[in-house]
């Protein structure tokens, strides 16, 4: 069973505007260049040519930052870390505006992160999260693990879909304002707990989502759990949060990964909450304040 609800208003206390979905595949990217294999492909992998501009308080940027660290790319693909909250009225970053304007004539939209930029041309290669993640894993790689092994690509896509639709979207739907009817509230919670149960069973058997080694699926699941425990806990009532907490293997896994430098170095809980407050609106729901994991 799955739900794909429309974007819902958030229920974080004191929040001022609307939160967008974090489902990366549904976003409309402004730029979608790709990194090719060969020199003749135009954008090809070369040390120090490119730069990532990320605000890790945003879940999409957090996943890219963790991937960058897992692959050991600090020395070859520099990373610029942006503040948790945008600094322009349209929700963008002033420091990124020159890149956007150089890349698109009379660009009028917000200059948002993430951005993969090309230092040789001074222009943007991509702002599309799935493409950036794939190019990091397949074109740059570095000394890190094989995050997109060929044998597991379908499973990795399935886990990403599970997290986007059946955890993030279901948790947001369950906490949506106006769902006072218990029957209406029940359906998305059923989806949420089925998804968490599926992940719990996987992690009770293996140290990582797909077995004994980390893959892109672990980045997706970990970022989703961070959002669930820092943002969505404000959407759900105390009874729902008690059930969310009742997945010991899942939350032990989340805390274990948070202790690894590739994951934990990019995690700023205060920044995540500040980013959330800047992008959502709505009255507080039951607002369970339970913190399941001590993220350190």
């Amino acid at each position: 069973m799955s739900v794909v609800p429309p974007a819902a208003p958030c229920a974080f206390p004191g929040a001022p505007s609307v939160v967008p979905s974090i489902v990366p595949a549904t976003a409309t990217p402004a730029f979608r260049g790709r990194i090719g294999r060969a020199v003749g492909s135009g954008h090809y992998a070369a040390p120090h040519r490119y730069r990532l501009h990320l605000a890790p308080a945003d879940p999409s940027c957090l996943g890219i930052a963790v991937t960058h660290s897992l692959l050991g790319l600090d020395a070859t693909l520099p990373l610029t870390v942006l503040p948790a909250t945008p600094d322009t009225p349209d929700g963008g970053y002033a420091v990124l505006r020159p890149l956007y304007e150089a890349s698109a004539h009379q660009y009028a939209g917000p200059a948002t992160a993430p951005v993969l930029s090309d230092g040789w041309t001074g222009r943007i290669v991509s702002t599309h999260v799935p493409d950036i993640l794939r190019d990091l894993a397949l074109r740059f790689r570095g000394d890190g693990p094989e995050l997109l092994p060929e044998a597991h690509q379908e499973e990795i896509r399935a886990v990403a879909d599970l997290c986007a639709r059946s955890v993030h979207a279901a948790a947001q739907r369950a906490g949506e304002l106006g769902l006072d009817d218990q029957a209406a509230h029940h359906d998305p919670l059923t989806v949420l707990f089925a998804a968490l149960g599926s992940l719990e069973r996987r992690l009770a058997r293996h140290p990582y989502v797909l077995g004994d080694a980390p893959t892109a699926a672990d980045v997706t699941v970990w970022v989703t759990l961070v959002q669930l425990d820092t943002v969505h806990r404000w959407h759900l009532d105390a009874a729902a949060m008690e059930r969310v907490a009742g997945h010991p293997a899942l939350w032990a896994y989340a805390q274990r990964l948070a202790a690894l430098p590739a994951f934990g170095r990019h995690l700023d809980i205060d920044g995540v909450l500040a980013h959330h407050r800047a992008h959502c609106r709505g009255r507080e729901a039951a607002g369970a304040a339970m913190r399941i994991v001590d993220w350190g």
Side-chain angles (χ1 to χ4, degrees):
M1 178 179 178
S2 179
V3 292
V4 189
C10 295
F12 191 85
S17 63
V18 177
V19 67
S21 170
I22 65 167
V23 182
T26 64
T28 302
F31 303 93
R32 284 196 67 173
R34 298 302 302 272
I35 305 299
R37 293 178 181 272
V39 172
S41 64
H43 290 121
Y44 61 91
H48 313 295
R49 175 176 177 177
Y50 304 97
R51 177 175 290 272
L52 280 167
H53 309 260
L54 305 174
D58 174 89
S60 295
C61 289
L62 178 58
I64 295 173
V66 170
T67 299
H68 179 271
S69 290
L70 281 171
L71 295 172
L73 299 179
D74 285 334
T76 58
L77 179 58
L79 176 65
T80 295
V81 176
L82 301 170
T85 55
D87 57 6
T88 62
D90 60 1
Y93 290 92
V95 71
L96 298 180
R97 174 59 56 182
L99 281 171
Y100 274 83
E101 292 179 347
S103 305
H105 180 59
Q106 295 184 337
Y107 179 81
T112 58
V115 166
L116 175 64
S117 67
D118 181 353
W120 293 1
T121 65
R123 297 183 177 182
I124 293 171
V125 177
S126 182
T127 58
H128 187 242
V129 174
D131 288 352
I132 293 173
L133 288 169
R134 286 188 65 81
D135 286 346
L136 290 182
L138 298 178
R139 300 291 180 254
F140 293 94
R141 177 72 184 275
D143 298 325
E146 187 176 4
L147 295 181
L148 289 173
E150 187 65 33
H152 290 298
Q153 294 213 14
E154 286 299 323
E155 285 182 277
I156 290 170
R157 279 191 286 268
V159 169
D161 186 70
L162 179 81
C163 288
R165 295 171 181 267
S166 299
V167 179
H168 166 72
Q172 188 158 320
R173 178 66 174 169
E176 184 180 8
L177 295 179
L179 289 183
D180 297 323
D181 181 2
Q182 287 301 309
H185 191 67
H186 179 266
D187 287 345
L189 286 179
T190 299
V191 172
L192 172 64
F193 296 133
L196 296 180
S198 173
L199 294 171
E200 174 77 8
R201 290 187 292 275
R202 284 177 178 267
L203 292 165
R205 298 192 303 267
H206 304 289
Y208 296 98
V209 173
L210 299 183
D212 296 326
T215 67
D218 294 285
V219 178
T220 300
V221 170
W222 187 77
V223 171
T224 300
L225 293 177
V226 169
Q227 289 293 298
L228 183 59
D229 193 33
T230 58
V231 171
H232 291 308
R233 69 189 180 92
W234 293 103
H235 299 180
L236 303 174
D237 61 26
M241 286 305 298
E242 288 285 356
R243 292 183 64 187
V244 169
H247 298 84
L250 187 62
W251 294 107
Y253 158 87
Q255 193 157 18
R256 175 166 54 84
L257 294 193
L260 300 178
F263 290 81
R265 65 180 281 201
H266 300 292
L267 181 60
D268 174 8
I269 297 299
D270 290 339
V272 170
L273 295 176
H275 177 82
H276 182 65
R277 285 193 294 269
H279 289 81
C280 74
R281 71 177 179 189
R283 295 171 295 134
E284 183 178 359
M290 178 190 304
R291 174 58 51 77
I292 298 172
V293 169
D294 179 1
W295 295 98

